[in-house]
Amino acid sequence: TETDKSIADLIKVFDGKADRAYVEQTAKGLKEQFSSFNLSGGPNLIRNSSYKDGLKYFFGTANRFRLGTHPFYYNGSKPIAVIFNDSSNEVLYQTNRFDLERNTDYVLNFRGFNNSALTSCEVFVLGRKKDETQNYTVIKHLLKPTKLSGQGVEDVSLTFNSGEIDNAYVRFDNNGSSGGQADLYIAEIDLYKGTNKRPWQPAPEDSAEPIEAVRTQMSLLAGSWAVKNLNSAQGERTAVE
C-alpha cells in the first residue's frame, strides 16, 4: 500500500540512506497521509471501540447486550452496540479497564440514541487506586439519568478529572423499560487525556499497524529535518474543538 511504501521510505531516511530531496519527498507524502488524523489529546483508551472485533473487551449484564445495526447509524451499514432491557432493573454495559494519570483532565466522547421505551440511561467512570482489589472505590457520575435522542444519533462529550484514580472503566446503564423492550445504542467510545472534543479515533492497539509504525519512526527521528518538516506541516492544521 501507499502507507507501507512511505514507511519503507521513512526507514531509509532513518538509516541515512537518502539525500535531502528524498527526505523532502517522503515528508510530503507522510504529511498527506497524516492529514486525515486528528492528533489532539491523548490516545483513545477504549479498546475495540469500532466493534471491528465484535464485542471483545466489552462486558456487562449477561445476555442483555449485542451488536446490531440501525438506520440512524450510517444507514445500518456499521455495527453498533445495543443494550436492551424489558424490565425495571438496570442493565449494565462496560468497557475494558485502562490506566489513568492522577489529577488529570480527560474527555469521554460517544455516539448514541435510544428508543421510546427507555426510562433513562447513565454513564459512569468507575475507578480504583493502585493496589486496590475492589472492582471500584471511586465513582465519577458523568451523565445523570437522562434520555438520549430518539430521533437520530446524538454526539455526547463529557469531561472529568481523574483525581486519585489509577485504573478505571466506563459503564453505561440502561435503567429500565416503561413498557416493551428499551434499547440503548452506543458507538464510537473515545476516552482520552485532554479537554477538547475531537472526532472519534481508535485506540493505538486497534489502529492499522502501518500508521503506528510511522508514528514510531517519527519518534525515533525526533529532531531530524524530516520530522521538523512534518511537525511544521501539522502545525498548519486547524484543531478540532
Side-chain angles (χ1 to χ4, degrees):
T1 66
E2 190 65 29
T3 303
D4 294 329
K5 181 179 182 301
S6 294
I7 293 168
D9 291 344
L10 190 59
I11 292 172
K12 289 181 182 178
V13 173
F14 178 65
D15 291 339
K17 298 178 181 178
D19 58 20
R20 183 183 177 91
Y22 190 89
V23 170
E24 185 176 40
Q25 180 181 354
T26 300
K28 181 180 179 182
L30 288 172
K31 171 194 169 183
E32 292 173 353
Q33 291 183 58
F34 269 80
S35 66
S36 62
F37 291 89
N38 186 292
L39 303 178
S40 65
N44 186 0
L45 300 177
I46 307 302
R47 295 296 310 275
N48 189 35
S49 56
S50 67
Y51 304 125
K52 179 181 66 176
D53 294 323
L55 287 167
K56 186 178 181 180
Y57 303 114
F58 289 92
F59 313 90
T61 305
N63 303 315
R64 286 293 178 267
F65 60 95
R66 61 179 174 81
L67 284 184
T69 58
H70 195 284
F72 287 172
Y73 189 63
Y74 292 99
N75 293 316
S77 65
K78 291 187 178 183
I80 188 169
V82 187
I83 302 94
F84 53 95
N85 193 350
D86 56 6
S87 74
S88 59
N89 301 318
E90 63 184 9
V91 168
L92 312 180
Y93 179 66
Q94 66 190 59
T95 70
N96 59 287
R97 286 189 173 275
F98 45 81
D99 292 332
L100 296 178
E101 298 177 22
R102 288 196 177 191
N103 302 306
T104 300
D105 291 328
Y106 286 86
V107 180
L108 171 64
N109 297 328
F110 66 92
R111 306 189 75 197
F113 54 94
N114 52 249
N115 69 3
S116 60
L118 184 84
T119 56
S120 67
C121 64
E122 297 172 84
V123 179
F124 299 85
V125 168
L126 302 174
R128 62 189 180 192
K129 300 176 184 177
K130 183 180 179 181
D131 298 326
E132 289 183 330
T133 58
Q134 300 95 315
N135 194 27
Y136 60 88
T137 58
V138 182
I139 300 173
K140 299 286 184 178
H141 199 172
L142 303 191
L143 186 66
K144 306 294 184 181
T146 189
K147 296 186 72 168
L148 302 180
S149 172
Q151 305 300 317
V153 178
E154 182 174 343
D155 294 314
V156 180
S157 185
L158 308 166
T159 58
F160 68 98
N161 187 279
S162 58
E164 296 186 335
I165 295 176
D166 295 311
N167 181 267
Y169 61 92
V170 179
R171 195 182 82 188
F172 297 85
D173 292 9
N174 178 329
N175 288 332
S177 169
S178 60
Q181 181 170 291
D183 294 333
L184 174 63
Y185 296 82
I186 300 293
E188 296 178 38
I189 309 169
D190 189 5
L191 190 148
Y192 53 92
K193 182 168 65 175
T195 56
N196 294 330
K197 184 179 178 181
R198 72 181 182 192
W200 172 85
Q201 63 185 46
E205 300 89 339
D206 300 325
S207 301
E209 290 183 7
I211 295 168
E212 294 311 311
V214 170
R215 288 175 176 164
T216 299
Q217 293 297 334
M218 287 176 69
S219 296
L220 293 172
L221 283 164
S224 72
W225 182 88
V227 170
K228 286 179 181 177
N229 184 73
L230 282 170
N231 288 342
S232 175
Q234 288 295 325
E236 296 172 0
R237 296 172 57 204
T238 300
V240 177
E241 298 298 333

